[in-house]
Amino acid sequence: MLIRVLGSAAGGGFPQWNCHCPNCSAVRAGKPGFTARTQSSLAVSANGRDWALLNASPDLRQQIAAAPTLSGAENGALRGSPIKAAVLTNGDVDHVAGLLNLREMERLTVYAARRVLDTLAANSLFNVLAPGIVDRAELPLRSSIALSGAGVDLGLTVEAFPVPGKVALYLEDAAAGPDFGTREGDTLALEVRDTSTGAKFFYIPGCASLNDDVRARISGASLVFFDGTLYDDDEMIRLGLMPKTGARMGHMSMSGPAGTVAAFEPLGVARKVFVHINNSNPVLNEQSAERRAVENAGWEIGYDGMELSL
Ligand code: MLT
Ligand code: MN
Ligand code: ZN
């Protein structure tokens, strides 16, 4: 099974269009130790020919162009794509807006939770993925389904399971109390398995905390891609960028006694890769103490174009 990190940044990318924080300014200036990143997405393939996207970011067009394997012609046909499916983990703009790039009458299947499918259906802009050409399939929770699209069986199964998180920003209901009307299934983790080899990994780009269920599922895993949005829960406030904590946005942070690095310590995960990294995160500076700290704890900082095989 081949996995490619298409985009390793959180919503906004790195640099973010309107951000002049120290990190964004440094990467814009081409300062050594800073690498630009596009928004949150992976691609996976069992056979190296047919691919599923895991989330579809607004930068998808650029991500496809940067990955020859995703832009190749099929059997000499004038039109065609190796991308047969897109599996969405939530309804956030950084994970769904890229679907609009897949609109040129190409057959594929979009897999998502019911509420995300309903949200797409309620927005007529997404009808450019013409029903009848682009299939929609509901992801069942806690049971695995085989991925297919355009009549091709991808040789992959996905089990989606809910993780603590928050409903998409644009669906927040302030009147609904402290969880803003979040429902089960609004934030999903994916366990992706190669049907023929049995190899599997977890993709969890958004997660507010590690509950017992998540811990039990990922314990001993060979590979986990995990929410690397912030280093410190209050870093956006401290930098004067935004009045929100990571917790308020539905993300656990890397540092601290309840942070991701500490929470993973007892889990025995062989390979741990941070993705969905916000532009404010100090680990994006390769020379930083924070970068050294997470790498010393056995974490890898995902980067655009990173390829892994399992
Ligand atoms: C998030 O991951 O918190 C969201 O992508 C934020 C956003 O929608 O801008
Ligand atoms: Mn996001
Ligand atoms: Zn910034």
Side-chain angles (χ1 to χ4, degrees), residues 50-204:
D50 306 302
W51 289 79
L53 303 177
L54 307 183
N55 287 325
S57 102
D59 301 320
L60 182 58
R61 181 180 176 281
Q62 175 186 347
Q63 293 166 344
I64 292 173
T69 184
L70 293 182
S71 52
E74 293 219 293
N75 309 321
L78 275 175
R79 292 253 167 120
S81 166
I83 298 170
K84 305 298 180 199
V87 187
L88 310 177
T89 61
N90 61 22
D92 286 0
V93 169
D94 55 347
H95 288 162
V96 308
L99 292 175
L100 297 173
N101 287 292
L102 301 175
R103 68 185 175 281
E104 312 291 354
M105 306 292 280
E106 198 62 48
R107 288 179 66 203
L108 73 141
T109 305
V110 176
Y111 294 87
R114 185 75 257 155
R115 177 138 78 146
V116 174
L117 292 179
D118 289 346
T119 302
L120 298 177
N123 186 331
S124 52
L125 201 56
F126 287 95
N127 291 341
V128 294
L129 278 72
I133 295 178
V134 177
D135 293 326
R136 274 77 164 165
E138 182 176 351
L139 277 177
L141 299 185
R142 304 184 189 87
S143 72
S144 74
I145 52 160
L147 296 185
S148 66
V152 174
D153 177 350
L154 291 176
L156 297 166
T157 63
V158 164
E159 177 172 345
F161 55 96
V163 296
K166 183 187 68 62
V167 69
L169 182 61
Y170 60 90
L171 292 175
E172 284 185 7
D173 176 3
D179 68 359
F180 305 99
T182 297
R183 298 182 209 152
E184 183 179 78
D186 281 341
T187 307
L188 297 178
L190 305 178
E191 181 193 295
V192 182
R193 193 168 166 278
D194 181 323
T195 0
S196 59
T197 68
K200 64 177 191 181
F201 70 95
F202 292 86
Y203 175 52
I204 312 177

Side-chain angles (χ1 to χ4, degrees), residues 235-287:
E235 89 193 21
M236 311 250 299
I237 300 171
R238 258 192 299 112
L239 286 165
L241 300 174
M242 261 237 286
K244 284 183 187 173
T245 60
R248 167 63 184 82
M249 296 188 296
H251 299 291
M252 62 190 290
S253 298
M254 295 178 179
S255 69
T260 309
V261 170
F264 269 72
E265 207 57 57
L267 299 182
V269 174
R271 203 163 171 192
K272 303 168 287 213
V273 182
F274 279 124
V275 290
H276 194 278
I277 306 164
N278 195 57
N279 57 77
S280 58
N281 193 320
V283 304
L284 291 178
N285 176 358
E286 288 165 24
Q287 313 302 330

